Amino acid sequence: MLYAEEKSELLYDSTEERSGVEIAEAVRSEAVENYRVRLTRPGPMLEIEAYPIFRQRKDWIRAKRIARTCAAQEKVNDRRARMRLDRIIQHNFPEYDSYVIGLDYEDEPTREQAEKDRAAFVRGLRKLYKDAGIELKWLAVTPWLTKTGRPVKRLHHHLVITGGVDEKAIRALWMKRKNGRIHLDPLQPDNNGVTGLSRYLAEHLHGTKRWTGSRNLEEPPVIYPKRHMGKSRAYKLAMDYEAARTIFENQHKDYTFVSMEVRFSEYVDGAYIYARMRRKDAWERQFSSSRRKE
């Protein structure tokens, strides 16, 4: 019975360089039938994942049981959280038409007071947007704890919100509380979309409650092509980065190749392939915006 597991990153965590022979043995293993492909479309980005379909279900189950007993599980959970955060931001907050906000304090508040301040700021945003007849989406990250689990020394809030309302009115919501400064900038992408922002926010994702957001945040669409990827194609992608660029750009002509990584496992054969692409019209808008600033 063939078996595939979507959460392949649980096992495929090694990015160490391998020889061509080692890659061939892993990717073309007899234990692997072929590769399932999953496409995720967060905003102007396209993420392509390919993971093995095993001939024997027991091969995966045994390896998964071993992997769960090691410390890598926490690392995998963190990576999943960062990936989901990146997708949520990219899909719900249009580039250039959204805001990135930082809320600081002059005097250190208690955690309870900081939570009240953030909630009051969000309520103010809701009223502003409702009065303007514009839908508000928001996402907030407040770093309560350090990596070591201790309380942070200076509490502050990070928010990403959709645009459409006057910046001065947004700034006034925080300034009238006389807590401290507010930093407000447009959401600007780089060549990898908003991954730079999501990585920065992810550095503060410590504790059980990682981030909070409005109820109207949407998950990006996911597509499973009916045709699976053969082992020969997977081997070519794993072996040749530039060949992968050509293959993916031929398959998805409205997108430009951005990056790719191939991960292997210590517990099971096969490989996990993850590629990112960016829609061409997004590149054009990014370029024109940069030219206007010059």
Side-chain angles (χ1 to χ4, degrees):
M1 178 180 178
L2 299 180
Y3 183 73
E5 170 61 67
E6 293 185 21
K7 299 178 180 179
S8 295
E9 63 269 30
L10 175 64
L11 294 182
Y12 295 97
D13 196 43
S14 173
T15 56
E16 294 182 1
E17 290 189 11
R18 296 193 174 196
S19 67
V21 173
E22 291 174 325
I23 293 175
E25 290 177 348
V27 176
R28 292 175 167 175
S29 168
E30 292 184 0
V32 175
E33 175 70 15
N34 50 34
Y35 288 77
R36 177 167 290 173
V37 178
R38 176 173 56 203
L39 306 179
T40 307
R41 300 181 186 274
M45 305 300 290
L46 171 63
E47 299 179 21
I48 306 167
E49 297 169 271
Y51 50 91
I53 297 176
F54 294 95
R55 297 182 187 274
Q56 298 292 331
R57 185 174 186 268
K58 63 181 182 180
D59 293 338
W60 172 267
I61 298 298
R62 182 174 59 254
K64 189 175 181 179
R65 189 180 299 116
I66 296 172
R68 276 180 169 170
T69 63
C70 63
Q73 178 67 60
E74 183 177 351
K75 181 180 178 181
V76 169
N77 291 340
D78 288 341
R79 185 166 62 241
R80 287 179 186 168
R82 292 195 301 269
M83 179 180 287
R84 181 167 184 259
L85 177 64
D86 183 81
R87 289 172 173 172
I88 289 290
I89 294 175
Q90 189 74 75
H91 191 64
N92 290 275
F93 301 98
E95 300 169 354
Y96 303 106
D97 296 326
S98 300
Y99 297 127
V100 181
I101 298 174
L103 304 176
D104 293 341
Y105 287 93
E106 291 292 338
D107 298 318
E108 188 71 8
T110 63
R111 175 165 178 165
E112 181 181 9
Q113 184 59 48
E115 289 177 336
K116 290 181 179 179
D117 291 336
R118 188 181 69 185
F121 182 77
V122 171
R123 285 197 301 271
L125 288 174
R126 290 197 188 104
K127 186 176 187 307
L128 276 180
Y129 279 70
K130 183 178 180 180
D131 292 345
I134 300 173
E135 181 185 27
L136 169 68
K137 290 186 178 183
W138 62 273
L139 182 148
V141 173
T142 300
W144 305 113
L145 303 175
T146 65
K147 290 182 179 180
T148 60
R150 296 180 179 180
V152 296
K153 292 184 178 180
R154 294 191 62 85
L155 282 174
H156 58 283
H157 308 285
H158 301 282
L159 290 95
V160 186
I161 67 172
T162 45
V165 172
D166 182 64
E167 292 185 23
K168 291 183 180 179
I170 296 175
R171 293 179 186 276
L173 293 174
W174 186 252
M175 297 304 295
K176 71 180 181 181
R177 301 186 67 84
K178 299 180 181 180
N179 287 322
R181 295 180 299 173
I182 175 172
H183 310 274
L184 189 151
D185 298 289
L187 176 59
Q188 300 183 65
D190 55 25
N191 293 344
N192 209 10
V194 300
T195 298
L197 170 64
S198 62
R199 285 178 178 172
Y200 172 75
L201 295 179
E203 292 178 0
H204 304 291
L205 297 182
H206 306 299
T208 55
K209 187 65 174 178
R210 294 179 178 272
W211 56 266
T212 187
S214 54
R215 294 182 179 180
N216 57 349
L217 294 178
E218 300 176 353
E219 298 283 351
V222 179
I223 301 171
Y224 293 87
K226 292 182 179 179
R227 186 174 181 179
H228 293 166
M229 180 186 293
K231 290 191 284 187
S232 296
R233 173 59 59 86
Y235 172 69
K236 188 171 185 178
L237 295 175
M239 284 291 296
D240 193 331
Y241 189 89
E242 290 305 317
R245 179 193 301 275
T246 301
I247 290 170
F248 286 132
E249 290 188 345
N250 285 337
Q251 289 178 340
H252 308 280
K253 296 187 181 299
D254 293 334
Y255 291 81
T256 300
F257 183 86
V258 173
S259 63
M260 184 187 72
E261 68 175 18
V262 181
R263 298 202 296 266
F264 298 94
S265 172
E266 299 178 9
Y267 313 104
V268 70
D269 289 336
Y272 174 84
I273 299 171
Y274 174 71
R276 288 173 60 88
M277 305 186 74
R278 184 165 170 80
R279 206 167 56 221
K280 289 181 179 178
D281 59 359
W283 284 108
E284 293 167 0
R285 185 178 184 192
Q286 180 177 340
F287 178 74
S288 61
S289 176
S290 300
R291 291 294 298 271
R292 286 197 299 270
K293 290 179 182 179
E294 294 175 1

